[in-house]
Amino acid sequence: MWLRLYWKDERLAWNQTAEQINHLQPTHEDVWTPDFVFYNQKKAEPLVMSKIFLYPSGDLTWSVPYQISFFCTFDLRKFPSDEQDCSMELAAWSYHGGLQDINIFTR
């Protein structure tokens, strides 16, 4: 699964016209990254540490491929005609909702 994370840090914005730089690729050590966890994860690990893109507006984008296994409860009483639902419970780990607002967008 690909996680595409978007956030804004206005302290990192610059004047694109004056600098003539379209984007930067800071390292993970140089910028804050969203702090999140899947509450119902059994195992979650990034497959690679992909690049972060920083744009003149201070917007940042980070696309991370993850391999994730989840704990789910299934009701098999109507098997094989059943339908199951296993949701991902994503939340901030060390910051509360007032400091870090997490929204999930699907395509």
Side-chain angles (χ1 to χ4, degrees):
M1 164 172 66
W2 280 88
L3 286 177
R4 288 193 173 88
L5 307 166
Y6 306 95
W7 69 99
K8 186 177 200 84
D9 189 336
E10 293 174 354
R11 300 169 302 167
L12 301 176
W14 70 89
N15 184 328
Q16 181 180 7
T17 305
E19 302 296 331
Q20 297 188 5
I21 298 173
N22 294 330
H23 73 277
L24 297 172
Q25 295 179 353
T27 66
H28 298 266
E29 294 80 25
D30 291 336
V31 296
W32 176 88
T33 56
D35 182 31
F36 65 91
V37 66
F38 291 98
Y39 281 147
N40 62 331
Q41 77 183 25
K42 180 177 180 182
K43 181 179 179 182
E45 57 187 59
L47 297 176
V48 295
M49 288 308 288
S50 55
K51 295 177 181 176
I52 296 172
F53 290 89
L54 170 60
Y55 299 96
S57 61
D59 290 321
L60 293 104
T61 302
W62 183 23
S63 296
V64 187
Y66 263 85
Q67 182 173 352
I68 305 175
S69 300
F70 294 98
F71 288 107
C72 297
T73 303
F74 295 117
D75 180 357
L76 302 174
R77 290 178 288 184
K78 296 181 182 178
F79 180 82
S81 301
D82 57 340
E83 288 186 20
Q84 304 296 330
D85 181 41
C86 183
S87 60
M88 297 182 297
E89 299 173 22
L90 180 65
W93 179 247
S94 58
Y95 297 105
H96 62 76
L99 296 175
Q100 180 174 297
D101 186 18
I102 294 179
N103 296 296
I104 297 176
F105 302 96
T106 60
R107 289 188 192 210

